[in-house]
């Protein structure tokens, strides 16, 4: 026994001596959020707006997060980062008509293991003493220097477990970034990367420089490769008509790629442009994915995160004109034109972390704070625009205050945005015109049965005859120490869908009028009140055969408290709704009234 | 009668001074602190973001408006009000030796020359007011009364405009702002500051995802990325003046151990002198 203790003591002494020269910084945080609502089942998923009740959390819940981070400086050349985290819920189990709160179901998401801490990220940064290489990073990559349309930070770092080798350096004033990523085995064209994973990888390369302080240029290239064993190789499949050579052959099952030229040019300190021109595409293995050779992937489903074509390449991009008070009178106008092709493809683009377009939403449908869609197909307002296809959006496991994000894939549009800052008031506004990049269901031949699109009104590539307009004007000021504001938003859009079927025509008009008053009540407490009226009118059929009108009065208020390192937020929303269906042919009316009350609170301590 | 005349005189002076506008310039490309600093690697730190280009200070009657411009647009990805900029404006009302503070807000890691000792500092940060107040209470309680938060912040394009009430600065409406000294410092804000930093991002020896490089892993190096210096006329020689001013520091390796630290000393800008 004594001998064992002596050995343990000696080991600790040696370890302590080694570690003594390594500086280790620990940090952590505890975050907890609670939502209580009287909302009916099915209203307001706080996590995933698309998921059904059976596989996502709805209604009331408590969610806790705990996290530890370690940053170690091993030497001046080597740093190590580790993150351990757990998230666990106690919530409504989500079954229809089941009101029993599943308070004992402490689950770590995705694995359903009980509240275990898991290694959520690690990285070794090596700063070599070499002339042109600045850093080699091994592990979970963050802070990548690529275009965010191609290779962005990963909020889903917890679930992706993405790892890579990231090298950055410079040649004179030209900086470069190179990466090899191992993609998670769900991150493929059919939500998987096949059975052979060892050679699956994404390679990306970036060069960037700034010329004369006014002209910034970025060149990006990315290649996503999914490789499988070759079934025609004898060493893989002994029934194949092939000679054995002792080596298992492989074939590229799927390739996705992108290239881009982006940058900015400043005409002066107060005026400049930003540009981004991209070409993206994909190529499946013809025999494996498209047996009938019609260039449409066999069995393709519209919820896949990839275009439907076996081989396709398409352009996307935007051009922005930006100003900062160019007339020296407080007026700052900005313009943007964007075109994001319906076949745009990117697996590593931003899923949440970055807002990539000037437009403040305007794509899918106005929702209230908790995801409750007001009309059936109205505009969303206030969402960030990201760099991946619709089903790659990251709208799950949101923290209090985080908004929904949208994908602009398949849309083109123009945005005029302005800010007019006068002495006592600020006027703000934005006007957008939107169109779909494709109105034919992806087909060019009118004889093709798919020319008018699939039957259902799916997100990806329905036949469309779409156009929309959405605008907002707001005014902000300060009266007796109280921040006050008024904003009006209006949008309308129409979609013909199948042009042979007038009954699926749809027109939507939406309007929001919102007041705001906010005040710092004490050093530690801020309160904000936001009442609003919103109305959405959906008309179906060429002659408005059915009209659905939804009118809401919403009283929202928010409280922020911080004292002594304790952060607390509370947001509440009281919704009073009337909705009415009117049928032109039968002259029938259906009316419905609905109200809900929601309180959502969160608190956090960092240490 | 004398009293009426006096009031009229004060009002006239007040009206004349309202509208006073000071313009400062800073050369481009000097967003390197003491000349060695490099940006964090995360692309949210867009080149030029912390590169001060100009500033205007305007007397608006009962308020003073500060417009600070830099060389890249403000971004709005994850901050409460914007992402990464933190601006501190140190104000020396009297230009009297040792009249006021020579230390700066904890975490800035510079000292102010005793001849330029300041009375108030305007703290411009993207976090909520309760959050900022909580940090000040914990880390800068001793100077809390002299840290002033703007009544209004407005980020637009490549600028942030902040409006400060004169009453919050404790000065009269008829004050002549051209006689003040100004220390306008550009730092970076973070929601995960060190124990001794009021929401400012640190500079390390090597840059990281969210850390500047080119300084020290200890706490003796300034966390200032750019500042207005000398006459603030934007001339090229101000680049070297800034580098020299921010370079006179020594630091140990342990950020918690300040015994080996020697902070550098900065001077303010006096546009009226």
């Amino acid at each position: 026994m004594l001998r064992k203790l002596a050995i343990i003591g000696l080991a600790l002494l040696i370890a302590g001596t080694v570690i003594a020269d390594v500086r280790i910084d620990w940090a952590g945080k505890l975050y907890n959020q609670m939502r209580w609502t009287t909302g009916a089942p099915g209203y307001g998923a706080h996590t995933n707006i698309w998921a059904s009740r059976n596989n996502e959390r709805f209604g009331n819940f408590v969610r806790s997060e705990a996290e530890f981070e370690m940053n170690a400086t091993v030497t001046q050349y080597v740093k190590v980062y580790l993150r351990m985290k757990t998230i666990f819920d106690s919530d409504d189990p989500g079954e229809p008509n089941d009101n029993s709160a599943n308070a004992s179901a402490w689950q770590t998401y995705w694995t359903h293991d009980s509240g275990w801490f898991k290694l959520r990220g690690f990285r070794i940064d090596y700063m070599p003493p070499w002339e042109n290489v600045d850093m080699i990073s091994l592990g979970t990559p963050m802070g990548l220097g690529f275009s965010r349309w191609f290779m962005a930070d990963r909020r889903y770092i917890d679930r992706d477990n993405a790892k890579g080798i990231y090298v950055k350096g410079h040649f004179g004033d030209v900086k470069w970034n190179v990466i090899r990523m191992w993609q998670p085995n769900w991150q493929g064209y059919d939500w998987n990367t096949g059975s052979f994973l060892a050679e699956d990888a994404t390679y990306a390369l970036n060069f960037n420089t700034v010329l004369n302080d006014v002209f910034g240029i970025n060149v990006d290239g990315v290649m996503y490769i999914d490789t499988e064993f070759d079934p025609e190789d004898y060493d893989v499949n002994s029934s194949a008509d092939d000679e054995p050579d002792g080596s298992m052959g492989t074939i590229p099952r799927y390739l996705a790629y992108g290239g881009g030229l982006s940058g900015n040019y400043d005409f002066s300190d107060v005026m400049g442009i930003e540009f981004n021109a991209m070409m993206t595409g994909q190529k499946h293995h013809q025999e494996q994915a498209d047996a009938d050779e019609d260039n449409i992937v066999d069995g393709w489903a519209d919820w896949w995160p990839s275009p439907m074509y076996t081989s396709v390449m398409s352009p996307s991009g935007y051009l922005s004109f930006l100003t900062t008070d160019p007339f020296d009178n407080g007026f700052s106008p900005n313009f943007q034109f964007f075109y994001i092709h319906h076949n745009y493809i990117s697996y590593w683009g931003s899923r949440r972390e970055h807002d990539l377009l000037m437009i403040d939403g305007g794509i899918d449908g106005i929702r209230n704070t908790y995801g409750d869609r007001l009309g059936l197909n109205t505009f969303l307002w206030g969402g960030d625009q990201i760099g991946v296809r619709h089903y790659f959006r990251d709208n799950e496991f949101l923290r209090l205050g985080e908004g929904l994000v949208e994908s602009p894939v398949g849309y083109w549009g123009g945005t005029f945005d302005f800010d007019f800052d006068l002495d006592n008031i600020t006027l703000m506004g934005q006007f957008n015109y939107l169109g779909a990049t494709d109105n034919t269901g992806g087909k060019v031949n009118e004889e093709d049965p798919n020319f008018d699109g699939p039957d259902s009104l799916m997100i990806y590539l329905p036949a469309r005859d779409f156009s929309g307009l959405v605008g907002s004007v707001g005014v902000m000021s300060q009266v007796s120490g109280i921040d006050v504001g008024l904003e009006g938003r209006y949008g309308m859009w129409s979609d013909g869908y199948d042009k042979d079927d007038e009954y699926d025509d749809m027109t939507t008009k939406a309007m929001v009028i919102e007041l705001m008053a906010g005040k710092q009540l004490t050093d530690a407490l801020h309160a904000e009140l936001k009442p609003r009226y919103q109305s959405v009118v959906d008309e179906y059929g060429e002659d408005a055969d059915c009209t659905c009108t939804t009118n809401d009065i919403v009283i929202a208020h928010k409280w922020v408290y911080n004292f002594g390192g304790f952060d607390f937020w509370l947001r509440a929303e009281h919704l009073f709704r009337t909705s009415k269906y009117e049928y032109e042919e039968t002259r029938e009316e259906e009316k419905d009234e609905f109200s809900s009350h929601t309180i959502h609170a969160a608190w956090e301590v960092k240490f | 009668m004398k009293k009426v005349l006096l009031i009229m005189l004060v009002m006239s002076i007040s009206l004349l001074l309202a509208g006073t506008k000071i313009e400062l310039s800073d050369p481009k490309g000097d967003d390197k602190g003491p000349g060695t600093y490099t940006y964090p690697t995360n692309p949210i730190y867009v080149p030029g973001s912390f590169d001060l280009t100009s500033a205007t200070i305007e007397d608006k009657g009962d308020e003073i408006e500060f417009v600070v411009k830099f060389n890249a647009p403000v971004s709005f990805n994850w901050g409460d009000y914007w992402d990464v900029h933190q601006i501190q404006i140190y104000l020396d009302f009297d230009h009297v030796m040792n009249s006021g503070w020579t230390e700066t807000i904890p975490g800035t890691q510079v000292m102010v020359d005793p001849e330029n000792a300041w009375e108030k500092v305007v703290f411009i940060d993207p976090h909520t007011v309760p959050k900022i107040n909580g940090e000040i209470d914990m880390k800068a309680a001793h100077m809390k009364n002299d840290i002033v938060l703007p009544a209004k912040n407005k980020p637009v394009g490549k600028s942030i405009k902040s409006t400060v009430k004169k009453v919050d600065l404790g000065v009269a409406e008829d004050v002549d702002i051209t006689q003040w000294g100004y220390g306008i410092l550009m730092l970076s804000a973070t929601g995960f500051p060190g124990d001794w930093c009021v929401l400012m991002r640190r500079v390390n020896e090597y840059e990281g995802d969210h850390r500047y490089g080119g300084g020290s892993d200890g706490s003796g190096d300034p966390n200032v990325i750019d500042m207005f210096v000398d006459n603030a006329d934007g001339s090229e020689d101000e680049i070297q003046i800034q580098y020299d001013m921010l370079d006179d520091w020594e630091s140990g390796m342990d950020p918690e151990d300040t015994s080996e630290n020697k902070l550098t000393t900065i001077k303010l800008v006096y546009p009226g002198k």
Side-chain angles (χ1 to χ4, degrees):
Chain A
M1 183 65 188
L2 208 60
R3 194 173 161 189
K4 277 184 182 172
L5 285 174
I7 291 171
I8 291 169
L10 188 62
L12 287 173
L13 188 65
I14 293 170
T17 307
V18 172
I19 291 172
D21 290 334
V22 178
R23 206 189 71 239
I24 298 176
D25 297 321
W26 283 95
K29 61 186 169 194
L30 296 173
Y31 177 84
N32 203 67
Q33 58 174 321
M34 177 278 290
R35 181 183 162 197
W36 172 84
T37 181
T38 62
Y43 281 95
H46 73 279
T47 55
N48 185 338
I49 54 171
W50 299 110
S52 68
R53 269 182 63 78
N54 290 334
N55 59 15
E56 275 298 336
R57 277 53 164 167
F58 283 75
N60 304 326
F61 72 93
V62 176
R63 169 169 297 149
S64 303
E65 301 178 23
E67 179 175 336
F68 290 102
E69 258 187 31
M70 186 207 74
N71 282 283
T73 303
V74 180
T75 67
Q76 62 176 317
Y77 302 109
V78 179
K79 295 189 179 185
V80 176
Y81 163 83
L82 288 175
R83 186 161 74 110
M84 288 176 291
K85 185 169 184 175
T86 183
I87 299 179
F88 44 94
D89 286 349
S90 169
D91 57 5
D92 182 339
E95 296 297 331
N97 304 315
D98 182 353
N99 295 319
S100 60
N102 190 7
S104 61
W106 297 93
Q107 296 178 331
T108 300
Y109 68 86
W110 306 122
T111 64
H112 302 291
D113 293 326
S114 301
W116 288 352
F117 272 91
K118 297 177 73 179
L119 181 64
R120 301 291 188 180
F122 72 93
R123 197 172 67 235
I124 299 169
D125 291 339
Y126 174 51
M127 277 67 70
W130 304 335
E131 178 66 24
N132 298 113
V133 180
D134 297 328
M135 188 173 76
I136 300 170
S137 188
L138 309 170
T140 313
M142 291 290 278
L144 304 171
F146 301 88
S147 162
R148 291 154 182 171
W149 291 85
F150 293 138
M151 189 65 72
D153 286 352
R154 314 297 287 177
R155 173 194 164 91
Y156 266 23
I157 191 170
D158 284 351
R159 194 171 72 177
D160 288 351
N161 280 322
K163 300 174 197 67
I165 302 172
Y166 175 38
V167 186
K168 64 178 188 136
H170 65 278
F171 299 122
D173 289 333
V174 178
K175 295 178 181 173
W176 52 265
N177 298 274
V178 181
I179 197 166
R180 183 200 196 277
M181 294 292 296
W182 284 266
Q183 42 247 23
N185 60 8
W186 60 269
Q187 189 169 307
Y189 73 87
D190 183 16
W191 302 103
N192 75 84
T193 57
S195 55
F196 177 54
L197 308 175
E199 293 183 12
D200 296 346
T202 298
Y203 299 89
L205 176 66
N206 161 273
F207 291 98
N208 66 81
T209 191
V210 178
L211 303 174
N212 298 325
D213 264 345
V214 295
F215 191 19
I217 306 172
N218 289 273
V219 180
D220 284 87
V222 61
M223 174 71 81
Y224 172 107
I225 303 171
D226 177 5
T227 301
E228 295 300 319
F229 287 123
D230 181 2
E232 303 299 321
D233 186 324
Y234 178 86
D235 297 288
V236 175
N237 174 12
S238 58
S239 62
D241 185 18
D242 185 32
E243 294 296 322
D245 59 6
S247 169
M248 296 170 74
T250 59
I251 54 170
R253 183 176 79 138
Y254 177 68
L255 300 172
Y257 51 89
L261 175 66
S262 59
N264 65 286
Y265 182 78
D266 292 340
F267 300 113
S268 69
D269 283 347
V270 296
M271 210 175 288
I273 58 168
E274 282 184 5
F275 60 92
N276 186 3
M278 298 177 281
M279 197 64 109
T280 66
Q282 68 177 21
K283 184 171 176 54
H284 289 263
H285 191 276
Q286 179 83 44
E287 291 172 20
Q288 292 207 347
D290 183 16
D292 56 5
E293 300 186 6
D294 64 352
N295 200 31
I296 294 177
V297 177
D298 299 338
W300 181 85
D302 76 328
W303 44 264
W304 284 12
S306 55
M308 65 200 292
Y309 300 102
T310 310
S311 177
V312 69
M313 187 166 69
S314 55
S316 297
Y318 65 79
L319 178 65
S320 309
F321 179 75
L322 307 171
T323 71
T324 304
D325 193 10
F327 312 110
D328 206 19
N329 62 356
F331 182 61
S332 301
N334 300 296
F335 305 89
Q336 185 174 69
F337 172 80
F338 70 91
Y339 181 96
I340 311 299
H341 198 278
H342 47 280
N343 286 323
Y344 166 88
I345 177 72
S346 174
Y347 286 96
W348 294 98
S350 171
R351 299 179 66 186
R352 162 163 287 275
E353 298 292 346
H354 308 287
D355 186 9
L356 300 179
L357 294 176
M358 191 181 292
I359 181 173
D360 286 332
I363 305 295
D364 261 342
I366 289 180
R367 297 179 180 83
N368 68 8
T369 309
Y370 297 103
D372 181 4
R373 179 179 284 201
L374 298 188
L376 292 178
N377 278 281
T378 54
F379 286 102
L380 171 71
W381 197 259
D384 287 348
Q385 303 297 318
I386 54 171
V388 291
R389 298 181 67 80
H390 297 275
Y391 274 97
F392 249 35
R393 287 173 295 180
D394 172 6
N395 277 329
E396 296 171 298
F397 300 101
L398 304 181
R399 287 182 157 205
L400 189 153
E402 290 183 325
L404 302 173
V405 297
E406 290 293 330
S407 167
V409 171
Y411 291 88
W412 67 271
T415 300
F416 168 65
D417 180 281
F418 75 90
D419 192 294
F420 197 4
D421 198 16
L422 302 167
D423 274 352
N424 295 319
I425 61 170
T426 301
L427 296 170
M428 298 161 290
Q430 188 179 91
F431 301 92
N432 300 282
Y433 180 81
L434 292 168
T437 63
D438 174 55
N439 282 328
T440 68
K443 297 300 177 185
V444 293
N445 180 1
E446 290 194 19
E447 300 302 315
D448 190 313
N450 278 336
F451 183 78
D452 288 332
D455 294 335
S456 57
L457 306 180
M458 296 299 184
I459 289 174
Y460 175 63
L461 288 181
R464 317 193 81 171
D465 182 13
F466 167 88
S467 65
L469 185 70
V470 62
S472 74
V473 178
V475 57
M476 290 284 295
S477 188
Q478 207 171 54
V479 180
S480 303
I482 301 173
D483 293 319
V484 294
L486 170 67
E487 187 179 23
R489 307 192 281 270
Y490 181 79
M492 59 180 295
W493 74 317
S494 62
D495 200 331
Y497 293 104
D498 186 340
K499 65 182 181 183
D500 294 331
D501 180 4
E502 66 177 56
Y503 292 103
D504 71 354
D505 291 353
M506 177 183 291
T507 303
T508 297
K509 294 168 188 164
M511 178 183 70
V512 179
I513 298 173
E514 184 171 74
L515 291 162
M516 191 282 284
K519 183 168 173 59
Q520 190 70 36
L521 298 176
T522 69
D523 276 0
L525 181 64
H526 184 270
E528 188 177 273
L529 177 68
K530 274 190 173 178
R532 69 178 184 270
Y533 168 77
Q534 50 200 23
S535 174
V536 178
V537 181
D538 288 318
E539 294 178 348
Y540 303 91
E542 193 175 40
D543 302 317
D545 305 303
C546 174
T547 303
C548 173
T549 306
T550 306
N551 294 316
D552 285 354
I553 293 173
V554 181
I555 311 292
H557 48 106
K558 189 169 80 173
W559 304 79
V560 180
Y561 177 80
N562 178 282
F563 188 77
F566 178 73
D567 292 312
F568 177 83
W569 304 266
L570 186 144
R571 192 162 71 174
E573 191 170 277
H574 311 282
L575 168 71
F576 305 93
R577 164 171 301 172
T578 58
S579 50
K580 183 171 67 174
Y581 282 87
E582 298 168 274
Y583 299 94
E584 177 69 22
E585 197 170 324
T586 60
R587 306 252 172 213
E588 287 180 14
E589 277 190 11
E590 292 175 17
K591 287 185 180 176
D592 188 26
E593 290 189 352
F594 169 76
S595 65
S596 71
H597 304 276
T598 302
I599 295 174
H600 192 168
W603 47 95
E604 182 175 58
V605 175
K606 295 171 185 163
F607 51 90
Chain B
M1 185 63 186
K2 274 185 180 175
K3 202 170 181 181
V4 173
L5 282 173
L6 190 64
I7 290 169
M8 286 176 67
L9 181 67
V10 168
M11 285 178 67
S12 303
I13 292 171
S14 181
L15 281 172
L16 283 172
L17 289 173
T20 304
K21 191 172 182 178
I22 299 166
E23 297 188 0
L24 307 177
S25 294
D26 190 63
K28 283 184 183 172
D30 62 342
D31 48 345
K32 301 180 177 69
T36 55
Y37 287 1
T38 52
Y39 277 27
T41 57
N42 194 297
I44 204 162
Y45 308 93
V46 177
S49 293
F50 304 97
D51 190 5
L52 292 166
T53 56
S54 65
T56 58
I57 304 153
E58 189 170 359
D59 190 330
K60 294 275 190 177
D62 59 350
E63 294 176 334
I64 298 174
E65 180 183 282
F66 299 89
V67 180
V68 179
K69 295 186 176 179
F70 27 85
N71 203 19
V74 185
S75 59
F76 305 92
N77 288 295
W78 35 253
D80 285 321
Y81 294 105
W82 61 85
D83 286 338
V84 290
H85 297 86
Q86 184 188 94
I87 299 166
Q88 299 177 13
I89 303 176
Y90 292 89
L91 303 173
D92 176 15
F93 296 152
D94 54 16
H95 207 175
V96 172
M97 178 84 125
N98 282 322
S99 160
W101 296 92
T102 54
E103 67 172 296
T104 54
I105 297 175
T108 308
Q109 303 309 87
V110 298
M111 298 292 287
V112 172
D113 189 307
E115 281 189 27
N116 303 166
W118 56 274
E119 278 75 37
K120 298 285 180 184
V121 56
V122 179
F123 188 68
I124 303 166
D125 187 274
H127 292 91
T128 61
V129 171
K131 178 73 179 172
I132 295 169
N133 282 330
E135 286 280 314
I136 291 171
D137 280 338
M138 282 194 294
K139 300 168 185 174
H142 61 296
M143 57 173 64
K144 180 180 179 178
N145 291 338
D146 293 322
I147 301 175
V148 178
L149 305 187
K152 190 170 71 171
N153 287 317
K154 178 74 182 167
V156 176
K158 296 180 179 180
S159 71
I160 294 176
K161 184 171 94 174
S162 299
T163 308
V164 180
K165 292 183 186 303
K166 284 182 180 170
V167 67
D168 292 340
L169 292 173
V171 297
E173 273 199 30
D174 60 348
V175 68
D176 183 1
I177 62 170
T178 62
Q179 299 305 305
W180 291 359
Y182 298 89
I184 304 180
L185 313 182
M186 173 64 84
L187 299 88
S188 178
T190 175
F192 302 88
D195 292 342
W196 41 274
C197 297
V198 181
L199 297 168
M200 61 277 287
R201 190 176 306 282
R202 284 171 49 197
V203 180
N204 278 1
E205 185 168 355
Y206 291 97
E207 70 270 29
D209 192 9
H210 293 286
R211 287 277 187 271
Y212 293 93
S216 166
D217 287 347
S219 55
D221 54 334
N223 291 320
V224 178
I225 310 306
D226 199 0
M227 61 183 290
F228 290 87
V229 297
D230 204 36
N231 296 321
D233 57 14
S235 58
E236 289 295 309
D237 60 326
E238 289 179 352
I239 297 177
Q240 196 57 49
I241 293 171
Q242 173 193 307
Y243 291 169
D244 292 342
M245 200 182 284
L246 288 174
D247 199 31
D248 188 20
W249 55 270
E250 292 171 12
S251 177
M253 280 295 288
D254 184 352
E256 307 299 329
D257 178 8
T258 59
S259 60
E260 296 178 48
N261 289 349
K262 172 184 173 295
L263 302 183
T264 197
T265 299
I266 63 168
K267 289 176 181 292
L268 307 191
V269 174
Y270 290 84
K273 295 181 179 172

